[in-house]
Amino acid sequence: MAEFVYPPVIRAALTAFKALDVRITIVGAEHVPATGGAVLVSNHISYLDFIFAGLGAFKDARRKTRFMAKDDVFKHRISGPLMRGMRHIPVDRTDGQPAYDAAVKALREGEVVGVFPEATISRSFTLKKFKTGAARMAADSGTPLLPVVLWGTQRMWTKGRPKNLTKRHVPVTIMIGEPIELTPQDRPVMVTRRLRAAMTEMLDRAQREYPDKPAGTEDSWWLPAHLGGTAPTLEVAEAEDEAEAAARAERRAQG
C-alpha cells in the first residue's frame, strides 16, 4: 500500500524539531531490523512519545511503525485522518481483541507495530508494571521484541503539566536495545520480565548520560524522585492513577 501520509508527517515533525532546536540523540539505531515484523516496545512519559519512538525506527532503517492507540484519537477530527492515514491500530479498551488480531496480522505481514506496555503515561518517569500483550503478540507472530527507551520528551508535554511545545533546546534521547528473540517455549510473563529488566537498564543509562540538569528546584519536576527530582514516587503516581481512573468511571456512570 502506498504511503501518502506517513512520510509528510515525519518531515513536518523533523522540521518542527529543527526549528525548536530539539537536540535528538539516537543510540542503537543499528538494532532496528531492516526488514520483517517487530514489536517496538517503548516506555511512556509524554504525549509525544509515539512520534519520537517512531522516529527512532525511521531515521536510519526507514521503518514505519504502526502504533496501537486508544480509539478516541481516531475519532478526533484532526488526528483521526492522520492516524488512519499512517495505518496505526485503534484499540477499543472495552474489547481489545480486534486490535490484538490486527496487530498480529500486521506483524506477520512484516510491519513494525508499536506498543506502550505501561498502557498510560508514567507520572513518576520510572517504569510502571508492564502488560504482557507485547510478548504475546511477538510469540503469536514469530517476531522479535525491540526495546526502546525515551528520555527528555516529558519536558515538552506530559500528564499533569502544561504543555510546552515551543520549548527550545530540549535534549531528547532515543535509545534502542538489541532485539529480544522468542522461542516457542518462552512464557509471556517471563519474557515481559526480561523485557522490563532490559528497559530498566536502558532507562538508567539514558538518565545518567542525559546532557541537561534541572535549572533549580522548581524545574526539577521532570526528574524522578530517586534521582533527586520532585516527580512523584512510583507508589504515589500509581495512587494518583487509580484515583483518576475511579473519577473517570464515576463520570461515565453518571453521564
Side-chain angles (χ1 to χ4, degrees), residues 22 27 57 69 73 80 93-94 129 132 135 142 152 163 195 208 218 236 247:
V22 179
V27 180
V73 182
R93 290 189 176 181
T94 63
K129 294 177 182 177
T132 61
K163 62 183 173 183
L195 172 67
R208 283 188 289 102
E218 292 186 359
V236 170

PDB file of all heavy atoms in Angstrom, residues 22 27 57 69 73 80 93-94 129 132 135 142 152 163 195 208 218 236 247:
ATOM      1  N   VAL A  22      15.392  20.983  18.977  1.00  0.00           N
ATOM      2  CA  VAL A  22      15.291  19.811  19.836  1.00  0.00           C
ATOM      3  C   VAL A  22      16.514  18.938  19.544  1.00  0.00           C
ATOM      4  O   VAL A  22      16.736  18.525  18.407  1.00  0.00           O
ATOM      5  CB  VAL A  22      13.993  19.022  19.561  1.00  0.00           C
ATOM      6  CG1 VAL A  22      13.929  17.782  20.447  1.00  0.00           C
ATOM      7  CG2 VAL A  22      12.776  19.903  19.814  1.00  0.00           C
ATOM      8  N   VAL A  27      20.501   6.386  19.998  1.00  0.00           N
ATOM      9  CA  VAL A  27      21.518   5.392  20.348  1.00  0.00           C
ATOM     10  C   VAL A  27      20.983   4.007  19.996  1.00  0.00           C
ATOM     11  O   VAL A  27      19.863   3.659  20.368  1.00  0.00           O
ATOM     12  CB  VAL A  27      21.858   5.445  21.852  1.00  0.00           C
ATOM     13  CG1 VAL A  27      22.911   4.401  22.203  1.00  0.00           C
ATOM     14  CG2 VAL A  27      22.307   6.843  22.252  1.00  0.00           C
ATOM     15  N   ALA A  57      12.892   4.372  14.822  1.00  0.00           N
ATOM     16  CA  ALA A  57      12.855   3.275  13.849  1.00  0.00           C
ATOM     17  C   ALA A  57      12.965   3.782  12.419  1.00  0.00           C
ATOM     18  O   ALA A  57      13.429   3.063  11.529  1.00  0.00           O
ATOM     19  CB  ALA A  57      11.563   2.478  14.018  1.00  0.00           C
ATOM     20  N   ALA A  69      -3.122   2.542  19.548  1.00  0.00           N
ATOM     21  CA  ALA A  69      -3.542   3.720  20.306  1.00  0.00           C
ATOM     22  C   ALA A  69      -5.035   3.652  20.572  1.00  0.00           C
ATOM     23  O   ALA A  69      -5.793   3.053  19.793  1.00  0.00           O
ATOM     24  CB  ALA A  69      -3.192   4.997  19.540  1.00  0.00           C
ATOM     25  N   VAL A  73      -8.525   8.698  19.813  1.00  0.00           N
ATOM     26  CA  VAL A  73      -7.639   9.508  18.978  1.00  0.00           C
ATOM     27  C   VAL A  73      -8.061   9.429  17.518  1.00  0.00           C
ATOM     28  O   VAL A  73      -7.934  10.398  16.762  1.00  0.00           O
ATOM     29  CB  VAL A  73      -6.174   9.041  19.140  1.00  0.00           C
ATOM     30  CG1 VAL A  73      -5.228   9.907  18.325  1.00  0.00           C
ATOM     31  CG2 VAL A  73      -5.771   9.059  20.607  1.00  0.00           C
ATOM     32  N   GLY A  80      -7.652  12.034  13.772  1.00  0.00           N
ATOM     33  CA  GLY A  80      -8.236  10.818  13.207  1.00  0.00           C
ATOM     34  C   GLY A  80      -7.767  10.499  11.797  1.00  0.00           C
ATOM     35  O   GLY A  80      -7.251   9.401  11.535  1.00  0.00           O
ATOM     36  N   ARG A  93     -10.847  -0.046  24.382  1.00  0.00           N
ATOM     37  CA  ARG A  93     -10.470  -0.563  25.703  1.00  0.00           C
ATOM     38  C   ARG A  93     -11.539  -1.477  26.305  1.00  0.00           C
ATOM     39  O   ARG A  93     -11.267  -2.188  27.271  1.00  0.00           O
ATOM     40  CB  ARG A  93     -10.172   0.600  26.648  1.00  0.00           C
ATOM     41  CG  ARG A  93      -8.889   1.333  26.278  1.00  0.00           C
ATOM     42  CD  ARG A  93      -8.471   2.335  27.317  1.00  0.00           C
ATOM     43  NE  ARG A  93      -7.188   2.940  26.977  1.00  0.00           N
ATOM     44  CZ  ARG A  93      -6.571   3.851  27.725  1.00  0.00           C
ATOM     45  NH1 ARG A  93      -7.129   4.259  28.850  1.00  0.00           N
ATOM     46  NH2 ARG A  93      -5.417   4.355  27.349  1.00  0.00           N
ATOM     47  N   THR A  94     -12.737  -1.461  25.749  1.00  0.00           N
ATOM     48  CA  THR A  94     -13.768  -2.384  26.244  1.00  0.00           C
ATOM     49  C   THR A  94     -13.665  -3.746  25.577  1.00  0.00           C
ATOM     50  O   THR A  94     -14.211  -4.721  26.068  1.00  0.00           O
ATOM     51  CB  THR A  94     -15.178  -1.803  26.010  1.00  0.00           C
ATOM     52  OG1 THR A  94     -15.405  -1.669  24.593  1.00  0.00           O
ATOM     53  CG2 THR A  94     -15.319  -0.442  26.675  1.00  0.00           C
ATOM     54  N   LYS A 129       4.386  -1.137  35.887  1.00  0.00           N
ATOM     55  CA  LYS A 129       4.211  -2.548  35.557  1.00  0.00           C
ATOM     56  C   LYS A 129       3.903  -2.677  34.067  1.00  0.00           C
ATOM     57  O   LYS A 129       3.215  -1.852  33.492  1.00  0.00           O
ATOM     58  CB  LYS A 129       3.070  -3.145  36.384  1.00  0.00           C
ATOM     59  CG  LYS A 129       3.345  -3.200  37.879  1.00  0.00           C
ATOM     60  CD  LYS A 129       2.142  -3.744  38.635  1.00  0.00           C
ATOM     61  CE  LYS A 129       2.405  -3.760  40.134  1.00  0.00           C
ATOM     62  NZ  LYS A 129       1.211  -4.227  40.895  1.00  0.00           N
ATOM     63  N   THR A 132       1.401  -7.901  29.415  1.00  0.00           N
ATOM     64  CA  THR A 132       2.084  -8.967  28.665  1.00  0.00           C
ATOM     65  C   THR A 132       1.720  -8.986  27.183  1.00  0.00           C
ATOM     66  O   THR A 132       2.200  -9.847  26.446  1.00  0.00           O
ATOM     67  CB  THR A 132       1.767 -10.344  29.280  1.00  0.00           C
ATOM     68  OG1 THR A 132       0.344 -10.559  29.212  1.00  0.00           O
ATOM     69  CG2 THR A 132       2.224 -10.420  30.729  1.00  0.00           C
ATOM     70  N   ALA A 135       4.608  -9.203  24.488  1.00  0.00           N
ATOM     71  CA  ALA A 135       5.258 -10.512  24.430  1.00  0.00           C
ATOM     72  C   ALA A 135       4.358 -11.534  23.749  1.00  0.00           C
ATOM     73  O   ALA A 135       4.831 -12.377  22.966  1.00  0.00           O
ATOM     74  CB  ALA A 135       5.635 -10.977  25.837  1.00  0.00           C
ATOM     75  N   GLY A 142       5.671 -14.673  15.702  1.00  0.00           N
ATOM     76  CA  GLY A 142       7.024 -15.133  15.404  1.00  0.00           C
ATOM     77  C   GLY A 142       7.987 -14.006  15.099  1.00  0.00           C
ATOM     78  O   GLY A 142       8.894 -14.156  14.274  1.00  0.00           O
ATOM     79  N   GLY A 152      13.508  12.758  28.147  1.00  0.00           N
ATOM     80  CA  GLY A 152      13.503  14.176  27.790  1.00  0.00           C
ATOM     81  C   GLY A 152      12.187  14.625  27.191  1.00  0.00           C
ATOM     82  O   GLY A 152      11.857  15.815  27.227  1.00  0.00           O
ATOM     83  N   LYS A 163       1.426  21.841  28.657  1.00  0.00           N
ATOM     84  CA  LYS A 163       2.285  21.500  27.523  1.00  0.00           C
ATOM     85  C   LYS A 163       3.136  22.697  27.129  1.00  0.00           C
ATOM     86  O   LYS A 163       2.708  23.855  27.235  1.00  0.00           O
ATOM     87  CB  LYS A 163       1.465  20.994  26.342  1.00  0.00           C
ATOM     88  CG  LYS A 163       0.473  21.970  25.752  1.00  0.00           C
ATOM     89  CD  LYS A 163      -0.308  21.293  24.640  1.00  0.00           C
ATOM     90  CE  LYS A 163      -1.434  22.174  24.140  1.00  0.00           C
ATOM     91  NZ  LYS A 163      -2.245  21.509  23.097  1.00  0.00           N
ATOM     92  N   LEU A 195      12.101  -8.315  29.387  1.00  0.00           N
ATOM     93  CA  LEU A 195      11.992  -7.070  28.626  1.00  0.00           C
ATOM     94  C   LEU A 195      12.052  -5.862  29.554  1.00  0.00           C
ATOM     95  O   LEU A 195      12.787  -4.901  29.300  1.00  0.00           O
ATOM     96  CB  LEU A 195      10.669  -7.065  27.850  1.00  0.00           C
ATOM     97  CG  LEU A 195      10.275  -5.763  27.147  1.00  0.00           C
ATOM     98  CD1 LEU A 195      11.240  -5.460  26.015  1.00  0.00           C
ATOM     99  CD2 LEU A 195       8.838  -5.855  26.625  1.00  0.00           C
ATOM    100  N   ARG A 208      21.345   8.776  33.214  1.00  0.00           N
ATOM    101  CA  ARG A 208      22.694   9.114  33.680  1.00  0.00           C
ATOM    102  C   ARG A 208      23.461   9.917  32.635  1.00  0.00           C
ATOM    103  O   ARG A 208      24.264  10.802  32.979  1.00  0.00           O
ATOM    104  CB  ARG A 208      23.468   7.840  34.044  1.00  0.00           C
ATOM    105  CG  ARG A 208      23.071   7.237  35.384  1.00  0.00           C
ATOM    106  CD  ARG A 208      23.991   6.083  35.804  1.00  0.00           C
ATOM    107  NE  ARG A 208      23.792   4.875  34.992  1.00  0.00           N
ATOM    108  CZ  ARG A 208      24.575   4.481  34.015  1.00  0.00           C
ATOM    109  NH1 ARG A 208      25.648   5.194  33.692  1.00  0.00           N
ATOM    110  NH2 ARG A 208      24.327   3.365  33.346  1.00  0.00           N
ATOM    111  N   GLU A 218      12.366  24.418  41.257  1.00  0.00           N
ATOM    112  CA  GLU A 218      11.092  24.489  40.549  1.00  0.00           C
ATOM    113  C   GLU A 218      11.135  23.755  39.214  1.00  0.00           C
ATOM    114  O   GLU A 218      10.096  23.375  38.676  1.00  0.00           O
ATOM    115  CB  GLU A 218      10.676  25.943  40.331  1.00  0.00           C
ATOM    116  CG  GLU A 218      10.319  26.682  41.625  1.00  0.00           C
ATOM    117  CD  GLU A 218       9.778  28.068  41.361  1.00  0.00           C
ATOM    118  OE1 GLU A 218       9.699  28.457  40.170  1.00  0.00           O
ATOM    119  OE2 GLU A 218       9.440  28.775  42.332  1.00  0.00           O
ATOM    120  N   VAL A 236       3.229   6.699  44.773  1.00  0.00           N
ATOM    121  CA  VAL A 236       2.334   7.862  44.792  1.00  0.00           C
ATOM    122  C   VAL A 236       1.687   8.047  43.420  1.00  0.00           C
ATOM    123  O   VAL A 236       0.483   8.328  43.317  1.00  0.00           O
ATOM    124  CB  VAL A 236       3.108   9.132  45.205  1.00  0.00           C
ATOM    125  CG1 VAL A 236       2.247  10.380  45.002  1.00  0.00           C
ATOM    126  CG2 VAL A 236       3.554   9.027  46.658  1.00  0.00           C
ATOM    127  N   ALA A 247     -12.451   8.331  39.270  1.00  0.00           N
ATOM    128  CA  ALA A 247     -13.236   9.524  38.963  1.00  0.00           C
ATOM    129  C   ALA A 247     -13.798   9.456  37.545  1.00  0.00           C
ATOM    130  O   ALA A 247     -14.952   9.842  37.296  1.00  0.00           O
ATOM    131  CB  ALA A 247     -12.370  10.775  39.131  1.00  0.00           C
TER     132      ALA A 247
END
